[in-house]
Amino acid sequence: MKTFRILTMCMLGAFLAVGCGVKEEQGGKGGGEIDYSQIEVKPAVGKDLYGQITDTNGKPIRGVVVSDGTTSVATNTYGIYQIKRNPEAKFVYYSTPWDYEIEVAEDCSAAKFYAEIPENAGVHRQDFCLRKRTGNASDFTVIGIADPQVKVPVDNERFSTETVPTLKSTVSKQTKPCIILTMGDMVEDNLDYMAATRLNLGSTGAPVFSVVGNHDKMRYASDPTRPRNTNDHSTLWGPTDYSFNMGNYLFVGMDNVIYENGYDYHGGFTDEQAAWLEQQVAPVSTDRSVILFCHVPMYSSRNSARILDILKRFKSIDVFCGHTHDHRNIENDTYFEHVHSAASGSCWWSNLNNDATPQGFMVHEIAGNSIKNAYFQPTKHDRSFQFRLYRGNQVYKGWGNPDDLYGAGSADVQYDYTFGLGDDVIVANVWNADPKWDIAVYENGTYSGSMSRISMKDMWGMAVHEGNTYETRINRWVAVTVTCTHLYSYKLKDRNAEVKVVATDRYNNKYESSEFTTDVTEGVSLLKNENPYLNR
């Protein structure tokens, strides 16, 4: 996949035209038959951040939204913007129009749509030069990856040797333009791996956009009680709130992690962010669809109703997020929230997330104004591996006590982990399922019925995590498993029948399996810390 790096800025002399905030649709609209070389660019009185956006032929581009993080304006007919900037603004940046290429950094394919504002800049001019997109970009692919959460050397090694090769392979198979959205927590409170994780993600060749997660915000060394900051993340990734266009979609990335001090935080959006968003999307045509991507799910983010209200005038709203280390699809009348399970799983303890979803990422295929196909890509499995089957009465063994998960265990006996269902019941964990999936059961080759969703923990995942993952540093079993939102059960008509399960998603993709998981061998094959009981 080709990416383009523009090595020089396009500079034009021009004459100031007022009205830089005019409301115009984003896209490659030239300025008409004008001798652009006779136009002088200079700021109006009271404006101290200004510049011009042109294409590689020197032609001004109008309707491009430019921001300093507080104020957003659209370029005028002459491609000129001007802002009275916030004195604390670190960046000036633009929202890439749908018909222009996404600019990337020189060292990797991390998106580069911004420039730093020098300290004590006074009146500052910043021009941008964009390359016209070739070909039709109305159909494209979005890869969503959440929570790499690299903290220690083994995490970095696994991310580099397991996740990144799968990511590269997936990107290389795309026949249409492809971008990557990362939903925060690049690292786990460890600045040492922040640059390496960016380079890893940017080694795919696809433009990569990132939002900040709670673990990406660092404490102030001088005063760890102050609310954490985004300085280190922004040094590598740029602004924390921004937008860009691709095809018929407007993408909006936002920071929705609010720290009260150096330790306590919650998900949410500030009133200042909402005001920024109103200006940022005001010039954009309402016939667009929106993908809002952030770290914390909207259902647990304060002030999310106001953010969604600002976006409701658009054709549709999808939300991409992470944070929870489990996989969920939540659809309502307002928006569709896709909670992406973590690339790190349960923080690299095993090869599973907290709900026993494998480590991996999502692939969303977009055509026109909607997501036409989406699937989960496991890191260590083929795409076809979309669910795991269990027998309802199967017993899985673990050294940790399922009734006392914070310290109790035995060197002499293993404990039983089971769904506690009959031998005529089967259970399926279907990672990416939502209410529009059909999980059909066939007995001896004949359709028997469809599985029903149940709310409980994946007991095989419990045995892997609580039963076999031991933290030697604190001398306890690691309790990370959560109630699974995509677990299904079915009572067989014939308990001895040959069983096949066919899962059909909302896009009519079909996945099938007849293989039942009978032990925890696969699940415990990768554990971060050595379990003192495993080799007995």
Side-chain angles (χ1 to χ4, degrees):
M1 177 178 183
K2 285 188 177 181
T3 56
F4 297 95
R5 295 177 173 85
I6 303 173
L7 301 180
T8 60
M9 300 300 292
C10 298
M11 303 291 292
L12 283 178
F15 135 101
L16 174 66
V18 297
C20 293
V22 295
K23 183 174 180 179
E24 300 189 48
E25 180 180 357
Q26 289 185 291
K29 295 185 177 182
E33 298 299 324
I34 297 172
D35 183 359
Y36 301 114
S37 64
Q38 300 304 309
I39 300 171
E40 181 185 7
V41 178
K42 62 181 180 180
V45 176
K47 307 295 185 181
D48 53 7
L49 180 61
Y50 73 107
Q52 188 177 46
I53 298 183
T54 63
D55 64 19
T56 52
N57 294 317
K59 189 175 183 179
I61 309 172
R62 70 177 182 181
V64 180
V65 177
V66 184
S67 181
D68 69 341
T70 300
T71 302
S72 298
V73 299
T75 57
N76 67 7
T77 300
Y78 307 102
I80 298 169
Y81 71 91
Q82 52 180 333
I83 295 171
K84 175 60 179 175
R85 76 170 184 268
N86 185 326
E88 298 181 0
K90 296 179 180 179
F91 302 99
V92 55
Y93 53 99
Y94 61 88
S95 182
T96 304
W98 64 270
D99 49 352
Y100 284 81
E101 296 283 356
I102 294 169
E103 183 62 65
V104 298
E106 293 184 4
D107 59 341
C108 69
S109 62
K112 186 69 183 293
F113 51 92
Y114 58 91
E116 291 188 43
I117 301 173
E119 290 188 26
N120 304 315
V123 177
H124 180 64
R125 174 173 175 170
Q126 181 65 57
D127 295 343
F128 295 100
C129 185
L130 309 184
R131 185 183 296 272
K132 191 79 172 177
R133 183 179 291 279
T134 59
N136 183 8
S138 61
D139 295 359
F140 58 95
T141 300
V142 180
I143 295 175
I145 183 168
D147 302 82
Q149 208 150 322
V150 176
K151 183 176 184 179
V152 295
V154 67
D155 302 349
N156 187 55
E157 179 182 357
R158 290 192 58 192
F159 184 66
S160 301
T161 61
E162 297 173 20
T163 309
V164 173
T166 306
L167 199 57
K168 286 182 175 179
S169 175
T170 303
V171 170
S172 70
K173 294 174 183 176
Q174 302 307 310
T175 59
K176 298 171 182 176
C178 178
I179 60 174
I180 297 173
L181 305 181
T182 59
M183 267 68 74
D185 279 3
M186 302 293 103
V187 297
E188 185 178 344
D189 307 312
N190 191 342
L191 181 59
D192 292 345
Y193 293 104
M194 193 171 282
T197 303
R198 172 182 171 274
L199 290 175
N200 259 325
L201 290 165
S203 68
T204 61
V208 185
F209 295 86
S210 175
V211 290
V212 67
N214 53 291
H215 288 295
D216 298 322
K217 295 190 174 185
M218 300 295 161
R219 297 186 183 96
Y220 288 94
S222 59
D223 184 2
T225 64
R226 291 176 62 188
R228 294 194 190 192
N229 66 81
T230 62
N231 296 340
D232 296 300
H233 185 273
S234 290
T235 297
L236 295 169
W237 293 101
T240 55
D241 297 331
Y242 58 92
S243 73
F244 66 95
N245 294 266
M246 194 162 185
N248 294 329
Y249 270 79
L250 170 68
F251 289 82
V252 180
M254 296 187 75
D255 169 12
N256 68 336
V257 177
I258 300 175
Y259 269 93
E260 303 294 341
N261 48 54
Y263 306 92
D264 303 312
Y265 71 92
H266 62 266
F269 302 89
T270 66
D271 291 339
E272 290 77 12
Q273 285 179 291
W276 168 86
L277 182 62
E278 285 182 319
Q279 290 188 28
Q280 184 76 186
V281 304
V284 183
S285 172
T286 58
D287 62 357
R288 290 192 167 291
S289 296
V290 171
I291 289 178
L292 169 67
F293 59 110
C294 50
H295 181 60
V296 180
M298 297 296 274
Y299 63 76
S300 59
S301 293
R302 302 175 191 176
N303 217 17
S304 60
R306 183 175 176 188
I307 298 299
L308 293 167
D309 187 62
I310 294 169
L311 299 175
K312 70 181 181 181
R313 66 186 181 87
F314 293 102
K315 202 171 186 69
S316 65
I317 305 172
D318 285 270
V319 177
F320 289 7
C321 57
H323 183 60
T324 60
H325 294 251
D326 64 349
H327 204 83
R328 305 187 196 188
N329 288 305
I330 306 167
E331 188 174 19
N332 56 44
D333 293 338
T334 304
Y335 66 103
F336 192 163
E337 183 156 40
H338 311 261
V339 184
H340 293 59
S341 53
S344 61
S346 296
C347 301
W348 301 107
W349 284 111
S350 62
N351 50 14
L352 304 172
N353 274 268
N354 300 351
D355 59 353
T357 297
Q359 292 169 326
F361 49 85
M362 282 295 299
V363 180
H364 307 266
E365 297 175 357
I366 290 177
N369 277 100
S370 61
I371 299 173
K372 298 296 185 183
N373 190 29
Y375 61 89
F376 181 80
Q377 176 61 62
T379 297
K380 299 178 71 64
H381 296 273
D382 185 76
R383 170 186 167 179
S384 62
F385 183 57
Q386 294 292 315
F387 62 92
R388 188 183 293 275
L389 287 177
Y390 313 104
R391 296 285 183 178
N393 66 333
Q394 181 71 48
V395 175
Y396 304 102
K397 296 290 186 178
W399 296 103
N401 186 343
D403 298 320
D404 187 0
L405 302 178
Y406 293 95
S410 171
D412 301 315
V413 63
Q414 286 183 304
Y415 297 90
D416 292 343
Y417 291 78
T418 178
F419 290 101
L421 305 173
D423 62 358
D424 58 347
V425 175
I426 63 172
V427 177
N429 189 343
V430 189
W431 339 125
N432 195 37
D434 61 52
K436 292 188 178 180
W437 281 56
D438 178 56
I439 320 296
V441 178
Y442 292 81
E443 298 187 43
N444 297 319
T446 301
Y447 173 74
S448 179
S450 292
M451 303 183 79
S452 300
R453 195 174 77 83
I454 57 175
S455 181
M456 63 186 304
K457 293 185 176 183
D458 183 311
M459 298 308 294
W460 175 79
M462 280 277 287
V464 172
H465 287 153
E466 276 81 333
N468 288 288
T469 304
Y470 191 79
E471 168 61 282
T472 55
R473 181 177 59 87
I474 54 178
N475 294 318
R476 77 176 190 191
W477 306 93
V478 178
V480 293
T481 310
V482 299
T483 298
C484 183
T485 61
H486 38 77
L487 209 61
Y488 295 79
S489 70
Y490 185 79
K491 186 178 179 67
L492 299 171
K493 296 177 173 63
D494 177 4
R495 70 188 62 200
N496 297 313
E498 291 186 7
V499 175
K500 179 176 72 173
V501 173
V502 178
T504 305
D505 69 13
R506 61 168 54 216
Y507 308 107
N508 206 35
N509 297 306
K510 296 182 184 298
Y511 308 97
E512 64 178 66
S513 179
S514 298
E515 181 180 348
F516 287 84
T517 300
T518 58
D519 60 43
V520 297
T521 303
E522 177 195 348
V524 300
S525 62
L526 288 172
L527 297 175
K528 181 191 286 188
N529 286 15
E530 182 182 357
N531 183 337
Y533 301 142
L534 282 180
N535 296 321
R536 288 180 58 82

